[in-house]
Amino acid sequence: MKKTRIFALAAVLLLTACTPDAPYQANISFFSMDTYMEITAYGHVGTSLDDCKDEINRLEALLSVTSPDSDIGRLNASGMTDVSPETAEIIKYAQRIGGETNGALDITVYPVLKEWGFTTGDYKIPDGDTLNALLQKVDFTQIKADDSAIPAVTVPDGVQLDLGALAKGYASDKAAEILRENGITSALINLGGSIMTIGGNPSSGSPWRIGIRNPFSLDENIGVIEVADKAVVTSGSYERCFTADGKTYHHIIDPATGCPAESGLVSVTVIGGSGIMCDALSTAFFVMGAEKAAEFHREKGGFDMILVTVEGEILITEGIADTFTNLSKLPLTVL
Ligand code: AMP
Ligand code: MG
C-alpha cells in the first residue's frame, strides 16, 4: 500500500517535470564582442550555455579588430599573416557579399572609421583631403587569402580589415550550432541585437515574438516579428553616433564617400536562416537604401526585411506580411 503511494507520488512529480507548460529554462548573460549578450535555452541544457559563451569569446579573440593578437589585429599590423581557416572563410564570405552588393559591404572601411573616431569614441569630422587619401585604401578586392590548411592572407600597405559588420551574426550561427548539437530545440540567442532563434517559444507553443526597435523612439518597438529557426539582425543609425553642429553622424560608412551612409534609411532588419548573411546584408542594405535593397531581394531572395525610412515609413517584404505586426502609427508598405 505504502509502496503504491510512493510510486504514485513519483509519477505525479515526473509528469509535473515533463509538462509542456513548465519547460526547464536556463539563461546566461555576458559581455563579449563589445556588447551585452544573452542566451536563453529550454530543456536539458547541461553545459551548453557555458560552451556558447566560450565559443563566442574564442571568436572574439580570433576576430577582434582591437586585439593586437587576433588574426585581424596581426593582419592589420603587418599586412600579411597566417590566419585560421575560419577567419579566411569569414573574409571570403564578406568579399562575396561585398561583390554582390557592389561594394556597399566593404570590410576594408576600417581606416575611414578610425578617422571619424568611431573605433575610440574620440569623434571628429575628417576633412575632404584626408578622407580621399584614406578611401584609396578601401577596397575589399585587394585582400588575398589562399586556400592552404593554414591560409595566408595579404593586403596592400595601409589596407586594414574590420569584421564588425558580420562577426556577431557569425557568432550567433556558431552558438545555435552548439545548442542544436546538444539537443536543444528551443532557444533565443541575443548577441547585442543580432538575434538567432531555435524553434519556437515553449511557454506559448508559438513562434518567438521579436521586438524591432523604433528608431524614432528608442524605448519603444516599432513592431513585432514572429519567427522560428531564424536570425533577426538590425543595423540602425542610432546604434553608435555623435552630433556636431546640429548634424548626427553614425557608424555605418558608405565606402563610396567615406562618410556615414545617407541612403534615406534609419534602420534595416534582415530576417533569414543564416546569422552571418542577415548581419552582412543589414549593414550593406543600410548603405544601399530601400530601392537597391528591394532590387537585391527581388533578384536573390532567401530572406525578408523590414526597412524604416528617414521620412518615417515602414517597408516590409511580402514573406513577412502575415508575421509582422506594426505597433507604431507609421505607415507600412509591403514591397
Ligand atoms: P552593423 O552594426 O552590423 O551594421 O555593423 C556596423 C559596423 O560595421 C560598424 O561599427 C563598423 O565596424 C563596420 N562598418 C561600417 N560601415 C561598414 C561598411 N560599409 N562595410 C563593412 N563594415 C562596415
Ligand atoms: Mg551587420
Side-chain angles (χ1 to χ4, degrees), residues 103-104 106 109-118 124-132 134-135 138 237 240 242 247-264 283 286-288:
D106 193 325
V109 85
Y110 189 58
V112 175
L113 270 171
K114 272 200 291 193
E115 192 60 30
W116 281 91
F118 286 113
K124 67 166 184 282
I125 303 169
D127 65 66
D129 289 347
T130 310
L131 272 186
N132 282 334
L134 290 173
L135 280 174
V138 176
S237 49
R240 204 176 323 149
F242 70 96
K247 192 170 162 128
T248 301
Y249 300 89
H250 61 79
H251 68 133
I252 302 176
I253 302 292
D254 183 344
T257 63
C259 295
E262 290 189 68
S263 66
T283 309
F286 195 100
V287 173
M288 290 156 68

Side-chain angles (χ1 to χ4, degrees), residues 164-166 233 235 278-280 282-283:
L166 68 171
V233 183
S235 289
C278 293
D279 203 355
S282 66
T283 309

Side-chain angles (χ1 to χ4, degrees), residues 71-86:
D71 279 357
I72 300 303
R74 284 184 291 110
L75 179 63
N76 285 351
S78 67
M80 176 174 187
T81 189
D82 291 343
V83 298
S84 78
E86 200 174 11

Side-chain angles (χ1 to χ4, degrees), residues 91-295:
I91 290 173
K92 285 185 203 161
Y93 184 83
Q95 286 181 295
R96 198 186 101 202
I97 301 289
E100 289 178 3
T101 59
N102 287 322
L105 183 84
D106 193 325
I107 54 170
T108 62
V109 85
Y110 189 58
V112 175
L113 270 171
K114 272 200 291 193
E115 192 60 30
W116 281 91
F118 286 113
T119 52
T120 55
D122 200 1
Y123 300 120
K124 67 166 184 282
I125 303 169
D127 65 66
D129 289 347
T130 310
L131 272 186
N132 282 334
L134 290 173
L135 280 174
Q136 306 303 311
K137 304 290 177 192
V138 176
D139 179 2
F140 67 91
T141 65
Q142 299 275 356
I143 313 165
K144 307 289 174 218
D146 71 29
D147 288 324
S148 55
I150 304 171
V153 180
T154 49
V155 290
D157 198 26
V159 172
Q160 294 195 318
L161 271 59
D162 164 25
L163 300 179
L166 68 171
K168 281 189 283 165
Y170 178 76
S172 75
D173 288 333
K174 298 300 280 184
E177 211 175 290
I178 288 174
L179 295 179
R180 287 203 173 95
E181 277 166 9
N182 281 276
I184 305 293
T185 54
S186 178
L188 182 63
I189 300 164
N190 183 355
L191 309 187
S194 275
I195 289 168
M196 173 61 87
T197 56
I198 297 181
N201 183 343
S203 313
S204 57
S206 51
W208 291 104
R209 288 168 56 78
I210 310 293
I212 308 298
R213 196 180 256 195
N214 185 340
F216 304 109
S217 177
L218 295 176
D219 296 337
E220 294 169 21
N221 286 328
I222 207 162
V224 171
I225 177 85
E226 293 187 0
V227 288
D229 292 307
K230 288 224 160 86
V232 180
V233 183
T234 301
S235 289
S237 49
Y238 52 82
E239 277 163 11
R240 204 176 323 149
C241 55
F242 70 96
T243 304
D245 302 331
K247 192 170 162 128
T248 301
Y249 300 89
H250 61 79
H251 68 133
I252 302 176
I253 302 292
D254 183 344
T257 63
C259 295
E262 290 189 68
S263 66
L265 296 175
V266 271
S267 90
V268 175
T269 301
V270 178
I271 301 121
S274 144
I276 190 172
M277 174 191 76
C278 293
D279 203 355
L281 290 182
S282 66
T283 309
F285 291 165
F286 195 100
V287 173
M288 290 156 68
E291 216 167 285
K292 286 188 183 152
E295 198 180 307

